[in-house]
Amino acid sequence: MLPVVSWNRAIAVVGGRRIVIALGVLYVALATGRAFVRIGAGTPLENVLIISLLIAGPGLVLLSVGYRLPTFDIDAEFYETIATWCLVGFGVMASVLVVYSLQPGEVVDDAATILILTALASVAGLAAGIHDGVAKTRTRELETRNRELQFAQTELEETVDRLEEANSQLANSNERLEHYQTYTDHVLNAIHDIFYVLEADGTLQRWNESLCAVTGYSDSDIESMTAAAFVDADDRERVRNAIADGFETGSLQLEAALQTSDGASIPYEFAASRLETPDGEPVIAGIGRDISGRRARERELEQRAQQQQVVADLGQLALETDDIDELMRDATRRVAAVLDNEYCKVLDLDEGSNDLLLRQGVGWDEGLVGNATVSAVETDSQAAYTLANDHPIVVEDLTTESRFSGPELLRSHDVRSGISTIIGPADNPWGILGTHDTDSKSFTDEDVTFVQSVANVLAEAIERQQYQAELEALIVDLEESNERLEQFAYAASHDLQEPLRMVSSYLTLIERRYGDELDEDGHEFLAYAVDGADRMREMIEGLLEYSRVETRGDPFEPVDLEAVLADVRQNLQLKIEAHETEITTGELPHVEGDAGQLRQVFQNLVSNAIEYSGEGPARVHVSAERNGTEWTVSVTDNGIGIEPADQERIFEVFQRLHSREKYDGTGIGLALCERIIERHGGEIWVDSEPGAGSTFSVTLPAVDEELDDRASGVQSA
């Protein structure tokens, strides 16, 4: 017995929860340490991870449950029980392993196995401990409840015995009846709630002093009154009906406003049960409880809910409307209504002056909204004081306020209390939101937070509108700039092509007329000049095409990429044959786009794949893969590849990686492809290694499923 007591005492000293957590930490630490040792010894990583997870997993369970034990429905006293079960599980498994090792030839000497089995046994013990702890907690609760019920039953039986004895005494002795009456009156008068006994007609047979103290009526007054006389005339019929139902059903539940002798109204909750007097007459006896505090809490909660709903509604309106004045009108109206104030206003700070304009408001005299102003700089002005602080300003009584004085706008409307706060950042406020009342009032922290939240909604809406205006102006500027650039590009290309044609024509004329008189250098120089003019013309045409991608494209429609690739093959037929090119394709989809521009993209990509194929025959493969609402189409070649450092640069205009003597081109093709793909809302990129070929991929929007299926059906037909 002594070792068990010592064991429990040791667990109690350490703490059951700490033991569970410590056991979990131990297994996690052992698993981590073993993993580092095994990895250092060269054990395969997957083996180390599996064993470590089998050890650390139960440890993490022990650690997590240990930390979360307070959230379980278990009395803290039984944490020691849970720890005991964990240790029992550990001890039982350790004992099993020892007994197993005693068999001839059977020895468990693998540390990993021991750790895994004991860890799992500890978790099993944890589960059993939790179950045991819950059961013991429930048992204790039931025992406590039973003791309470037994005590109540005993008290009830004793009370019944006393009542029976008292009834016997009352029947035999008037003197003892008076003594009992005096005693019960003393007990009932000690109750703060109202105690009452009603007869069937509503007459009060008994009551305690609390009824007199609450209502202000004397005992003699109450003797001549019925229960219905204590409530407002509009509620009297409801009270009479409730009393009648109480006599019929045996119980009464009622809420009503108790009217005092001086006309005050106090909300009360009445509960009563039907009883019988010693004479066998039925009465209703019960308690009346003041629920003013509960009603106040309910009103407060309701007001908080209204405030939160107003902030949410205004936030939604701010997202749905572009009319700031509409948002301000709704905000001032709802703030005044929720706080039960007569006035609310939004003051707009004019940066060009020292005045705040009454832009929107509710309750103010007609004609003031949109016209009245308040000084933003007067030292004793509430508006200036609000702008100078980064927190809401609360006024309970303006007549006794020492920090500032109210402006004419507030004084002329007999304002005495209110809340005001800036709209926007403190270092650059947009204006002020204020709400006021003609009565002296106290405002809760929740009221102040509510006004600040509404001001934040207005500030965000104003900021978003300003940002939207700036964005729209920027878009207009960009569109105008793009239009001017396109006009410039068109004019430049048109004006430059004519001189280039003249240069080419005259160079050809010189070669035809004076070719015989030119030596070898002259012919070479002439060839350079002609080639330069031709390349210049190609670059100008490429730039013109690049500048017209956005403005001269066709509307998007379903495009069959297999048909596009067939056109590309036909256009590049001579180049394909010259490089002995083999082009293979997977199944290509329908996409949403501009067929002409997509033909340019794939013709450029296939042409480049052939051009940069290297020494051997070119091999090109075109494939497609669906990815959600878009397709990724790839063109793969077996060419010379691209250095990683150059893979971004190749999509820039006029960027070439090779000399014109080795590979022809203007350096615009891939830039044109990128701009076309961007117009389609997609991306283009390259995956490549030098000497191992390249894969150019583009993403394009998929065609609507129904349309895609219809197009596929037509093609099959």
Side-chain angles (χ1 to χ4, degrees):
M1 183 68 178
L2 183 59
V4 175
V5 173
S6 300
W7 172 261
N8 292 335
R9 184 177 302 164
I11 293 179
V13 171
V14 176
R17 185 182 174 206
R18 290 194 184 94
I19 291 176
V20 175
I21 293 174
L23 196 58
V25 171
L26 176 63
Y27 279 113
V28 173
L30 290 173
T32 305
R34 182 185 181 281
F36 281 112
V37 171
R38 291 297 182 180
I39 292 174
T43 304
L45 181 60
E46 56 270 23
N47 292 344
V48 174
L49 289 176
I50 292 173
I51 298 301
S52 297
L53 287 175
L54 290 175
I55 298 172
L60 290 174
V61 172
L62 292 168
L63 183 59
S64 174
V65 172
Y67 272 111
R68 295 180 63 245
L69 267 180
T71 65
F72 286 65
D73 191 14
I74 299 175
D75 195 311
E77 182 181 344
F78 300 122
Y79 290 173
E80 297 169 14
T81 301
I82 297 174
T84 301
W85 276 101
C86 287
L87 296 176
V88 167
F90 176 93
V92 169
M93 181 54 68
S95 301
V96 170
L97 294 176
V98 171
V99 172
Y100 181 82
S101 299
L102 293 176
Q103 300 181 77
E106 301 291 338
V107 178
V108 181
D109 58 357
D110 186 358
T113 302
I114 295 173
L115 289 174
I116 292 172
L117 293 177
T118 56
L120 293 174
S122 298
V123 172
L126 175 67
I130 290 175
H131 179 76
D132 192 15
V134 171
K136 288 182 176 180
T137 300
R138 296 289 182 271
T139 300
R140 170 163 293 181
E141 291 175 352
L142 289 174
E143 290 173 352
T144 301
R145 184 65 60 81
N146 286 335
R147 284 196 298 271
E148 292 174 351
L149 290 175
Q150 290 173 359
F151 178 79
Q153 180 68 26
T154 301
E155 288 289 319
L156 181 60
E157 291 174 354
E158 291 176 357
T159 301
V160 171
D161 291 339
R162 285 196 298 269
L163 288 174
E164 290 177 353
E165 182 180 357
N167 287 335
S168 175
Q169 293 173 350
L170 286 171
N172 299 323
S173 174
N174 290 331
E175 181 179 356
R176 298 187 67 183
L177 175 61
E178 293 175 356
H179 175 74
Y180 177 75
Q181 181 74 29
T182 303
Y183 172 75
T184 54
D185 286 345
H186 176 73
V187 172
L188 294 176
N189 289 331
I191 301 175
H192 294 292
D193 295 330
I194 295 174
F195 174 80
Y196 57 90
V197 176
L198 299 178
E199 297 180 358
D201 61 355
T203 301
L204 277 83
Q205 187 183 98
R206 298 280 303 282
W207 62 89
N208 61 353
E209 291 180 356
S210 294
L211 181 59
C212 298
V214 170
T215 62
Y217 292 110
S218 65
D219 288 332
S220 59
D221 293 332
I222 297 174
E223 287 179 356
S224 61
M225 299 172 65
T226 64
F230 288 93
V231 299
D232 186 82
D234 294 337
D235 277 345
R236 289 174 183 172
E237 186 63 29
R238 182 167 65 90
V239 170
R240 294 190 188 98
N241 293 335
I243 294 173
D245 291 340
F247 275 96
E248 181 177 348
T249 62
S251 64
L252 179 148
Q253 293 286 338
L254 176 67
E255 287 188 12
L258 200 63
Q259 301 293 319
T260 65
S261 60
D262 58 1
S265 179
I266 306 174
Y268 258 76
E269 178 182 63
F270 298 94
S273 298
R274 185 181 61 196
L275 302 173
E276 287 188 358
T277 66
D279 298 333
E281 296 181 4
V283 294
I284 284 182
I287 296 292
R289 182 164 298 165
D290 185 352
I291 58 173
S292 300
R294 190 181 76 188
R295 288 284 181 85
R297 289 191 295 273
E298 290 174 351
R299 286 194 298 271
E300 183 178 351
L301 291 174
E302 182 180 357
Q303 188 175 40
R304 296 293 86 78
Q306 289 178 350
Q307 291 176 358
Q308 293 173 3
Q309 186 62 48
V310 166
V311 173
D313 292 344
L314 292 175
Q316 184 64 33
L317 178 61
L319 295 175
E320 295 174 351
T321 182
D322 294 329
D323 189 343
I324 292 296
D325 283 291
E326 177 188 0
L327 177 63
M328 291 178 181
R329 281 193 300 272
D330 198 42
T332 56
R333 177 180 59 81
R334 300 190 67 174
V335 168
V338 169
L339 296 181
D340 194 23
N341 285 345
E342 294 184 48
Y343 305 104
C344 190
K345 67 180 187 295
V346 173
L347 298 178
D348 186 351
L349 179 60
D350 186 356
E351 295 181 358
S353 69
N354 295 324
D355 291 331
L356 288 153
L357 172 67
L358 179 58
R359 180 163 175 176
Q360 291 296 337
V362 61
W364 309 102
D365 292 343
E366 186 176 356
L368 291 182
V369 174
N371 297 304
T373 59
V374 176
S375 175
V377 295
E378 291 180 1
T379 55
D380 63 344
S381 167
Q382 180 178 354
Y385 190 86
T386 302
L387 292 174
N389 287 271
D390 59 356
H391 56 82
I393 306 302
V394 179
V395 178
E396 294 186 356
D397 193 339
L398 192 59
T399 61
T400 60
E401 179 60 56
S402 60
R403 295 171 295 177
F404 45 77
S405 63
E408 174 61 25
L409 178 66
L410 300 185
R411 291 196 302 269
S412 63
H413 289 80
D414 298 325
V415 166
R416 293 190 64 183
S417 61
I419 305 171
S420 60
T421 187
I422 59 174
I423 300 173
D427 56 349
N428 186 26
W430 182 88
I432 295 175
L433 172 65
T435 178
H436 312 278
D437 198 71
T438 54
D439 293 329
S440 177
K441 295 175 64 174
S442 296
F443 297 96
T444 66
D445 292 340
E446 288 78 9
D447 296 335
V448 176
T449 301
F450 166 61
V451 174
Q452 183 64 66
S453 299
V454 174
N456 292 340
V457 171
L458 295 178
E460 291 174 4
I462 293 168
E463 183 180 0
R464 184 167 58 252
Q465 185 187 58
Q466 292 174 344
Y467 173 77
Q468 184 67 27
E470 293 172 359
L471 181 62
E472 291 175 356
L474 180 60
I475 291 173
V476 171
D477 291 342
L478 288 175
E479 290 176 348
E480 293 176 352
S481 177
N482 286 336
E483 185 177 355
R484 288 193 297 269
L485 286 174
E486 182 183 351
Q487 293 172 354
F488 170 77
Y490 177 78
S493 62
H494 182 273
D495 294 343
L496 286 174
Q497 285 185 19
E498 184 60 28
L500 283 173
R501 279 194 293 270
M502 290 181 62
V503 171
S504 298
S505 298
Y506 277 104
L507 288 174
T508 303
L509 185 60
I510 290 173
E511 183 179 19
R512 187 165 58 247
R513 289 189 179 182
Y514 306 104
D516 295 338
E517 301 177 14
L518 298 175
D519 57 10
E520 183 176 349
D521 288 342
H523 282 289
E524 184 178 1
F525 297 156
L526 192 60
Y528 285 151
V530 172
D531 181 63
D534 290 341
R535 283 191 284 107
M536 178 64 77
R537 185 176 63 255
E538 292 175 359
M539 293 174 65
I540 291 172
E541 291 174 349
L543 277 177
L544 181 61
E545 195 171 18
Y546 181 83
S547 68
R548 291 179 169 181
V549 167
E550 296 289 342
T551 59
R552 298 300 177 91
D554 293 331
F556 286 0
E557 60 182 5
V559 177
D560 184 357
L561 290 186
E562 292 190 351
V564 168
L565 192 62
D567 293 341
V568 170
R569 285 174 179 266
Q570 184 175 359
N571 295 340
L572 298 176
Q573 184 63 36
L574 295 178
K575 194 170 188 177
I576 292 172
E577 294 175 355
H579 289 77
E580 300 178 355
T581 304
E582 178 184 352
I583 300 178
T584 59
T585 64
E587 185 177 353
L588 300 181
H590 290 72
V591 297
E592 193 76 19
D594 182 335
Q597 289 186 345
L598 293 181
R599 191 177 299 110
Q600 284 180 287
V601 170
F602 288 103
Q603 183 162 320
N604 194 303
L605 295 179
V606 173
S607 177
N608 285 351
I610 298 172
E611 181 74 22
Y612 297 98
S613 61
E615 300 297 332
R619 299 291 182 267
V620 182
H621 181 69
V622 183
S623 60
E625 181 180 356
R626 182 68 178 262
N627 183 19
T629 59
E630 62 183 17
W631 286 93
T632 300
V633 185
S634 301
V635 178
T636 304
D637 62 55
N638 64 337
I640 61 176
I642 303 170
E643 293 286 347
D646 297 327
Q647 291 179 10
E648 293 290 337
R649 190 164 62 90
I650 59 175
F651 294 103
E652 299 177 7
V653 179
F654 296 137
Q655 291 296 321
R656 295 175 48 82
L657 304 183
H658 308 280
S659 65
R660 290 184 177 85
E661 289 74 13
K662 190 170 183 180
Y663 293 103
D664 194 14
T666 62
I668 299 178
L670 288 177
L672 178 63
C673 290
E674 183 180 47
R675 191 163 188 193
I676 290 174
I677 295 302
E678 287 177 349
R679 185 197 170 211
H680 286 71
E683 299 179 36
I684 183 171
W685 69 93
V686 62
D687 297 305
S688 178
E689 292 183 12
S694 304
T695 297
F696 283 84
S697 301
V698 300
T699 57
L700 295 168
V703 179
D704 180 75
E705 294 294 339
E706 181 181 353
L707 197 59
D708 200 7
D709 293 342
R710 191 186 309 125
S712 299
V714 172
Q715 185 178 10
S716 300

